[in-house]
């Protein structure tokens, strides 16, 4: 994971050298998930993100994520950098680039993204490409989030990744409860249709986690990209 670590350090050093930037939001979370039919296929993960604002209309976001997969003894990690233009108080457009490693496999991914705050819910969309040097494919997703009240939020998302020998479609719904000062507990229920390594066919999964959002934006503008954080277990 030397390349991944170097990319994260370079991004952090760049951020530290930009005196005009200020932290507008960030998050940290711990989670575990497993397939409903066989909990040996599980994942324990930790992730964090920080967003730096340079002006009211431009910011950058750095995501870091690490996962340990139970049954296969694989480890996976990724780092993603977003460049974000806030075109209005309700709409943001972005470009993202990431590096991901799982075992001996490594690939880059990049693409476009957009987010909009509707009156009834917030929506997010991304479209891009993943490339491991020999095979390239499409990554895409959409997500919606709605605040039921000041403490309770529900969300749903659909992700599709077609990376040659790995193809998956992930559908999930989650609910989170805010216990105060940005701390939240959440639960997730979903379905994964996959053709990858030990996975084949359609399987239900469940997950739980703890998340802490900080900053004026109550977290970051965009969610995570890549394959590792979409797999609930291996």
């Amino acid at each position: 994971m030397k390349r991944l670590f170097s990319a994260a350090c370079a991004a952090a050093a760049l951020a530290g050298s930009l005196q005009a930037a200020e932290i507008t939001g960030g998050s940290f979370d711990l989670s575990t998930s497993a397939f409903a039919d066989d909990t040996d296929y599980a994942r324990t993960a930790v992730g964090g993100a920080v967003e730096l604002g340079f002006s009211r209309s431009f910011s950058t976001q750095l995501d870091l994520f690490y996962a340990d997969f139970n049954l296969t003894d694989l480890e996976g990690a990724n780092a993603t950098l977003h460049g974000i233009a806030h075109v209005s108080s309700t709409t943001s457009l972005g470009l993202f680039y990431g590096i991901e490693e799982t075992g001996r496999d490594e690939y880059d991914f990049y693409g476009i993204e957009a987010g909009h705050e509707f009156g009834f819910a917030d929506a997010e969309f991304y479209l891009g490409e993943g490339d491991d040097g020999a095979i390239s494919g499409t990554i895409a997703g959409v997500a919606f989030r709605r605040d039921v009240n000041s403490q309770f939020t529900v969300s749903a998302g659909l992700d599709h990744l077609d990376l040659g020998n790995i193809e998956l479609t992930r559908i999930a719904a989650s609910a989170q409860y805010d216990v105060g000062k940005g701390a939240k507990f959440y639960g997730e229920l979903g379905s994964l249709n996959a053709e990858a390594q030990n996975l084949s066919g359609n399987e239900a999964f469940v997950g739980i986690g703890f998340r802490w959002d900080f900053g004026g934006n109550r977290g970051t503008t965009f969610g995570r990209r890549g394959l590792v954080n979409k797999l609930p277990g291996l």
Side-chain angles (χ1 to χ4, degrees):
M1 295 187 180
K2 292 182 179 179
R3 184 169 173 237
L4 188 66
F5 180 74
S6 298
C9 289
L14 175 63
S17 68
L18 299 172
Q19 300 298 320
E22 63 175 350
I23 296 176
T24 59
S27 66
F28 173 80
D29 65 275
L30 295 167
S31 64
T32 183
S33 59
F35 288 104
D37 288 344
D38 190 344
T39 56
D40 285 338
Y41 290 96
R43 184 197 77 186
T44 302
V46 59
V50 64
E51 185 167 340
L52 297 175
F54 301 95
S55 69
R56 297 183 65 180
S57 58
F58 179 73
S59 65
T60 61
Q61 176 184 326
L62 175 65
D63 306 329
L64 298 175
F65 185 80
Y66 169 81
D68 179 71
F69 294 98
N70 182 32
L71 195 62
T72 60
D73 292 327
L74 281 176
E75 297 176 323
N78 71 34
T80 307
L81 185 64
H82 309 250
I84 306 168
H86 304 285
V87 298
S88 73
S89 60
T90 58
T91 303
S92 298
L93 304 177
L95 300 173
F96 64 88
Y97 173 78
I99 302 170
E100 184 161 282
E101 296 182 2
T102 306
R104 296 181 180 179
D105 297 325
E106 178 183 308
Y107 79 99
D108 300 346
F109 54 92
Y110 45 87
I112 59 174
E113 54 197 351
H116 184 75
E117 297 178 7
F118 296 94
F120 61 92
D122 299 343
E124 180 178 330
F125 165 81
Y126 70 91
L127 176 66
E129 183 172 301
D131 187 350
D132 67 357
I135 299 173
S136 63
T138 302
I139 61 174
V142 61
F144 298 91
R145 187 186 72 175
R146 177 179 174 83
D147 293 331
V148 178
N149 55 42
S150 61
Q151 290 183 295
F152 190 64
T153 301
V154 294
S155 60
L158 168 66
D159 298 277
H160 179 76
L161 296 88
D162 185 355
L163 301 172
N165 61 340
I166 299 175
E167 182 175 355
L168 67 86
T169 300
R170 183 184 192 271
I171 302 173
S174 66
Q176 67 177 30
Y177 183 76
D178 191 332
V179 296
K181 297 184 178 181
K184 304 171 178 69
F185 290 97
Y186 64 88
E188 184 178 42
L189 176 65
S191 175
L192 184 74
N193 188 292
E195 296 292 336
Q197 298 187 24
N198 296 329
L199 303 175
S200 180
N202 191 75
E203 296 287 345
F205 66 87
V206 294
I208 57 172
F210 169 81
R211 180 183 178 98
W212 176 52
D213 293 330
F214 59 89
N217 290 342
R218 297 187 304 161
T220 54
T221 299
F222 290 117
R224 294 192 180 103
R225 308 294 176 238
L227 172 64
V228 169
N229 65 87
K230 305 304 179 185
L231 289 172
L234 280 178

